[in-house]
Amino acid sequence: MAPDIETVLAPWVETTFDVFGCAETPGDLAERLPVVRVQRTGGYDERFAEHPRVAVDVFAATADEARTLAGQVRDALLFLRGPVGGAVIRSVRCDSGPSRQPWENEAVHRRGATYTVSLRAA
């Protein structure tokens, strides 16, 4: 069984983009910007592989920063292969590209996308 996708991708995002990566939205979100949140929202598992659907939300101080960072994350995820955080990433598919998403605090800009990641244990 592969490690939880949130524990694989959140640290990868932090290291790759020098942002705060998490699976849960921090209470002090506005003070930590930019933030990338990674959450499993579904998918399916097989005997030796998992294929989680993952929501990746980018939070930033400006709409331009959110759009740019969300695009960079998308591009990097689509090329991500090999060992990452105790798993082996086999492929990544973008199911719904980065788009503007509502957020309760209008000073925080959010872009969300969904991906299907195919992985197995390392």
Side-chain angles (χ1 to χ4, degrees):
M1 177 178 260
D4 183 275
I5 191 63
E6 294 171 355
T7 64
V8 171
L9 288 184
W12 174 82
V13 164
E14 276 193 338
T15 302
T16 305
F17 296 99
D18 194 29
V19 298
F20 182 76
C22 58
E24 299 294 329
T25 310
D28 59 347
L29 174 68
E31 287 78 42
R32 291 186 180 254
L33 298 175
V35 171
V36 177
R37 181 180 67 191
V38 177
Q39 295 180 320
R40 182 173 181 157
T41 60
Y44 66 97
D45 300 337
E46 297 175 321
R47 185 172 177 193
F48 296 111
E50 295 183 12
H51 310 276
R53 176 166 286 189
V54 182
V56 177
D57 290 302
V58 171
F59 300 91
T62 68
D64 285 341
E65 183 182 15
R67 182 175 38 257
T68 299
L69 181 55
Q72 291 170 339
V73 170
R74 177 201 57 222
D75 292 346
L77 279 171
L78 291 175
F79 283 99
L80 186 61
R81 302 285 184 281
V84 178
V88 176
I89 306 292
R90 297 163 67 180
S91 67
V92 178
R93 181 183 74 209
C94 182
D95 298 320
S96 178
S99 61
R100 184 183 309 256
Q101 302 292 316
W103 193 248
E104 58 201 27
N105 180 348
E106 292 184 9
V108 175
H109 298 268
R110 175 181 168 208
R111 290 275 171 161
T114 56
Y115 303 88
T116 299
V117 180
S118 294
L119 70 155
R120 64 172 176 80

